[in-house]
Amino acid sequence: MSTTNDALAKWVEETAALTKPDNIVWCDGSDEEYNRMVDMMLESGTLLKLNEETHPNCYLHRSDPSDVARVEHLTFVCSKNEEDAGPNNHWMDPVEATKKLDELFDGCMQGRTMYVIPYCMGPIDSPLSRNGVEITDSPYVVANMKIMARIGTPALKRIEKEGTFVKGVHSTGDLDPEKRFIMHFPEELLIRSIGSGYGGNALLGKKCHALRIASWQARTEGWLAEHMLIMGLESPEGETHYVACAFPSACGKTNLAMLIPPEQYNGWKVTTVGDDICWLHLREDGRLWAINPESGYFGVIPGTNEWSNKNAYECLKSDAIFTNAGVTADNQPWWEDKDDGMEPVTDWKGNPYDPEVGPAAHPNSRFTVSAKNNPVYSPMADDPNGVPISAIIFGGRRKELAPLVYEAKDWEHGVLVGASCASEMTAAAIGGAGQVRRDPMAMKPFCGYNFADYFAHWLTFGPKSDKLPKLFHVNWFRRDQDGKFMWPGFGENMRVLAWVLDRVTGKVDARETPIGYLPNVDDIDIEGLDVSKETMEALLSVNVAQWQDEVQAISEYLDEFGARTPQTLKDELAKISSALQSKAA
Ligand code: OXD
Ligand code: MN
């Protein structure tokens, strides 16, 4: 196989000349090809077969122990102008970066096969989708890309018709962390990644293309590429609203996207359009329409059980790739809080399991599974038009301060709410777990350009339409004085979503506070929950002194972006500051 697209043919040739593979394979995306990759990896020991009876067609991959998460410190945006990457990104001069990478890529595929994977992010027939081609020397990447994106012949046909595509070159290199780089050249729509096989660093359609490069593309083309789940909420009356939620990595997007409503919401139907990435376009009808560019889930395994996420748990029963899970004596995958009464015998490194040494599954162990495995998969995920979004919900993981839920006063205020999100870091990236950091719109690791310009881009939508989604903020992670979570989370989050929908449809009033509209305490249904009214009052209160400190911290954060910070955000912050001031007085 080859291609009629000259630019693609030439780039593949040039890449092969540099990396010197033994042979080149163009991926057609077929099931046979997937099976061939699996067989090869079983042979080489890259994959291990799991219990065929309990987990048909499931495999375990154990990564190099140094290669288990995204590496933000080794991830660069190499725009021509450093200011365009902004203080939110590591930057390297593109000439210097190219020189460094050319040396590392030189001959790196000797003795290996080079795979060329044409892919399409989004439904093949959607004008909102975008094309890419990943070149890789990893069969693990080919197999995972097959699950995560629409790859192969249909994507290549689309590329040949449209001409444009994002280029991504990936090599696992020798997995030496000293020679690991994930580099983005947005002006060239180019990604070069070496030294890691981990999903976020190696499946280039995902974070590198669909977020970092796409966010840049989206700005120039007038749309938004966001780190958001997309879910459908259908009421018993048959009215469906779609909401998009931006939470940082490993903060429960997959769980929320597949939520099973508690008993008193019988008759409600939740469906998943996407669990991680959302591309938003403003249409002639004045609404923001969303597609999920992916076709699979690359989810965090630990904590997934029948109660926390039954739908994900079901997804994992067949046709899944597990990366860095533990294993039971009868060769079933195992992880912390699986709660199935089984015991692991082997840990994620392949050593005999010893709780004194560490967990059985790595805290950032992952599953890769087709979205079609999800019992509540929304067929709208394949609709070329996407879905209209009624509400966008920002959030983070914060022990204190941020209430359970609040609504922004308008679009401009909502952009400030998104821009000032902060969250405790998780195991999804190497370093810093537990530390609170600003994570605007959950895009800190993923925005491919200067955050100040990104905020300004968000603000441009405000004047364009009066039918934009309402903007909200949630925090499922508040803790009490004993460190215990105050809100049960998981399926019970439906109670908060119900309030959000009531606000969208104008069915319920709210209290105006300096930080936004908060629910009246009785408007969040807590029937059947072990949560007291006092706890709800605490979850739905605004601590004026703490918020005054927060406003100061947000102001300092916005100043980090210098003159590029939109004045509108500063004005919005000043309004909050003076409202807090009058409360304090
Ligand atoms: C992910 C992440 O894998 O955000 O989705 O790290
Ligand atoms: Mn993510």
Side-chain angles (χ1 to χ4, degrees), residues 70 206-207 211 227 247-250 253 275-277 366 446:
R70 285 185 290 97
K206 191 172 181 62
K207 303 301 185 181
L211 288 175
H227 191 205
F247 309 145
S249 311
K253 283 198 298 304
D275 81 326
D276 193 41
I277 301 180
R366 297 282 181 144
F446 308 120

Side-chain angles (χ1 to χ4, degrees), residues 178-363:
E178 297 296 313
K179 293 193 246 156
R180 185 174 291 164
F181 290 101
I182 323 298
M183 305 257 202
H184 305 75
F185 301 82
E187 283 114 342
E188 295 173 58
L189 302 184
L190 171 68
I191 304 150
R192 298 179 77 183
S193 163
I194 189 157
S196 168
Y198 173 75
N201 304 328
L203 309 178
L204 301 185
K206 191 172 181 62
K207 303 301 185 181
C208 300
H209 176 166
L211 288 175
R212 296 194 194 97
I213 297 289
S215 61
W216 176 291
Q217 250 181 334
R219 176 169 167 243
T220 51
E221 297 172 4
W223 48 284
L224 293 164
E226 299 299 326
H227 191 205
M228 295 176 182
L229 67 89
I230 310 163
M231 68 198 293
L233 292 152
E234 187 185 326
S235 71
E237 294 75 41
E239 192 186 353
T240 302
H241 284 277
Y242 294 93
V243 303
C245 307
F247 309 145
S249 311
C251 287
K253 283 198 298 304
T254 307
N255 290 341
L256 191 68
M258 301 180 183
L259 172 151
I260 295 175
E263 240 167 61
Q264 58 267 64
Y265 293 87
N266 266 343
W268 281 81
K269 235 172 99 185
V270 169
T271 49
T272 317
V273 179
D275 81 326
D276 193 41
I277 301 180
C278 166
W279 286 358
L280 290 159
H281 289 252
L282 185 63
R283 285 271 183 73
E284 312 73 56
D285 67 354
R287 304 192 69 183
L288 279 183
W289 288 72
I291 61 162
N292 169 17
E294 301 188 284
S295 62
Y297 310 127
F298 181 66
V300 177
I301 311 177
T304 306
N305 58 45
E306 293 240 25
W307 177 79
S308 67
N309 190 341
K310 189 167 190 322
N311 288 321
Y313 197 72
E314 290 299 317
C315 283
L316 301 186
K317 291 199 169 146
S318 69
D319 306 286
I321 298 176
F322 294 83
T323 298
N324 293 335
V327 189
T328 62
D330 68 345
N331 213 21
Q332 296 190 46
W334 198 90
W335 53 86
E336 275 59 31
D337 294 324
K338 189 178 181 197
D339 283 353
D340 64 348
M342 314 260 310
E343 291 289 329
V345 294
T346 310
D347 71 11
W348 63 278
K349 292 184 184 166
N351 296 325
Y353 171 61
D354 177 355
E356 300 280 304
V357 174
H362 186 275

